[in-house]
Amino acid sequence: MNLLTYLSTLTILTINTANAQNAPVAVSCEQDVYALCAYANCTMNEDSLTASCPCYSISGPSLARIDLIPDDQVRQETIDTCTDATSCANNNAPICDAISDGSLWPGSDAVSTFSRELEVENGVLLNEEGERDTFTWKCAVSKREVRLVPNCMLAPCRTLNNPVTNPYFDGEATMECTCPLIKANDDYTLFGGLQDPCDEPALVNVGGPTLNVHAMNREGVRLAWEAVTREFNGENIPSDPSNDDRNTPTISFAKSSAGVLISESRTVPTVAGQMEVDGWGVQKASQNSGSSLTISATAIVMLISSVFL
């Protein structure tokens, strides 16, 4: 099945704008190089908000999800142009142009998008018709757990000097993408992956309903991309704590299965005190941009979905 046929079978998500009430969830873009991160096993960055993910370097058509476009103007132009599943079927979506000319993420070598390339090599289960038959892994999320997982859709990427291998994915990854960590509220499934990511700590790319919930939170999406921008541009330079006389609260994490974070002490900066929370017991944050959130061991910032991995 080709990519455009696959796109037409996707669940269509309503994008609540005056100009496009039923815009498709994604459009197809033809790129000389795109990063495929569907099977990435990532490493958390020092900011605790993003992860560095080794990804494949692929050429050809891939899918770009509209409601996750980092640039508001490009997002709105894409919504206005791509009013149904076929209106942007010829690589004519504004998001495709922004990826191709480098304006979406200046300084990047590629952008992470989605395709079905390398799915069999990475353990995706297919039926006789070549369709995805069932999920490969199901990771349980306890109601008492706090779990953050990466999703790399439309994240910026750079070429690695040396290819990376990992038991979780097949072959070599030649790109590294800076991907936001998003919150998994419920059990989630994974299509593909050569090792069980649930029993051992693993920050693997997660989509499905988890990504859908994230995408519906516009402020959460904005904050996630702000964190990616800072990390990708090298703006997260730790300050000397001996020169900082402010009261600096911390957040405790403990790495459990598949990205659960609750024991290593870290400080998480807020963005103008606007980091969203969702009833996990987050203490009141200052409205100053340099402030931090204090979070108990059973609390978490709401950082912020389904066929994208």
Side-chain angles (χ1 to χ4, degrees):
M1 179 171 58
N2 63 38
L3 190 62
L4 291 180
T5 302
Y6 182 59
L7 177 59
S8 68
T9 68
L10 299 181
T11 300
I12 302 301
L13 301 182
T14 299
I15 299 178
N16 294 319
T17 67
N19 296 324
Q21 290 297 319
N22 294 294
V25 65
V27 292
S28 179
C29 296
E30 182 86 21
Q31 302 294 338
D32 291 336
V33 178
Y34 67 91
L36 177 61
C37 302
Y39 317 103
N41 191 349
C42 312
T43 301
M44 184 185 295
N45 294 321
E46 288 297 317
D47 63 359
S48 299
L49 301 174
T50 65
S52 294
C53 300
C55 303
Y56 296 114
S57 177
I58 308 286
S59 297
S62 63
L63 300 177
R65 183 158 175 159
I66 296 173
D67 52 2
L68 293 175
I69 295 174
D71 185 284
D72 287 340
Q73 180 176 343
V74 175
R75 176 179 176 271
Q76 190 59 55
E77 289 175 353
T78 303
I79 291 172
D80 293 342
T81 303
C82 307
T83 55
D84 55 49
T86 60
S87 56
C88 289
N90 298 313
N91 198 39
N92 59 320
I95 180 58
C96 300
D97 295 335
I99 294 173
S100 295
D101 64 20
S103 61
L104 186 67
W105 288 107
S108 66
D109 296 320
V111 170
S112 172
T113 47
F114 176 79
S115 76
R116 297 185 63 183
E117 294 291 328
L118 303 177
E119 60 181 7
V120 174
E121 294 88 336
N122 283 283
V124 176
L125 304 176
L126 304 178
N127 61 23
E128 293 180 354
E129 287 73 40
E131 304 297 335
R132 291 184 171 193
D133 194 30
T134 185
F135 55 82
T136 309
W137 309 105
K138 181 176 181 179
C139 297
V141 178
S142 166
K143 295 303 181 183
R144 300 183 63 181
E145 276 186 307
V146 172
R147 186 171 299 195
L148 298 180
V149 293
N151 183 277
C152 295
M153 172 57 70
L154 293 178
C157 312
R158 291 191 174 100
T159 303
L160 288 166
N161 292 327
N162 299 300
V164 169
T165 60
N166 188 285
Y168 183 73
F169 58 80
D170 179 70
E172 295 182 334
T174 56
M175 289 278 176
E176 183 176 78
C177 302
T178 303
C179 305
L181 293 173
I182 66 177
K183 184 178 176 184
N185 293 302
D186 300 299
D187 299 354
Y188 56 87
T189 57
L190 299 165
F191 288 95
L194 303 180
Q195 283 188 330
D196 187 344
C198 306
D199 292 337
E200 296 294 333
L203 284 174
V204 298
N205 190 86
V206 174
T210 299
L211 184 59
N212 289 336
V213 171
H214 168 66
M216 289 187 290
N217 182 351
R218 286 306 306 160
E219 180 68 2
V221 170
R222 183 186 69 80
L223 291 172
W225 287 131
E226 285 187 359
V228 167
T229 298
R230 291 193 301 270
E231 181 65 31
F232 186 71
N233 292 333
E235 298 171 6
N236 290 326
I237 301 174
S239 61
D240 184 352
S242 63
N243 295 327
D244 191 353
D245 58 1
R246 296 174 298 171
N247 180 22
T248 307
T250 60
I251 176 173
S252 292
F253 295 104
K255 291 189 177 181
S256 179
S257 64
V260 179
L261 315 169
I262 315 173
S263 93
E264 180 181 357
S265 181
R266 295 175 185 238
T267 298
V268 178
T270 66
V271 180
Q274 296 178 0
M275 189 72 77
E276 290 199 6
V277 299
D278 70 340
W280 285 84
V282 179
Q283 296 182 12
K284 184 178 180 180
S286 167
Q287 293 300 310
N288 295 324
S289 59
S291 64
S292 300
L293 288 173
T294 301
I295 306 179
S296 66
T298 58
I300 190 64
V301 175
M302 175 65 171
L303 296 176
I304 324 284
S305 36
S306 240
V307 294
F308 296 112
L309 298 173

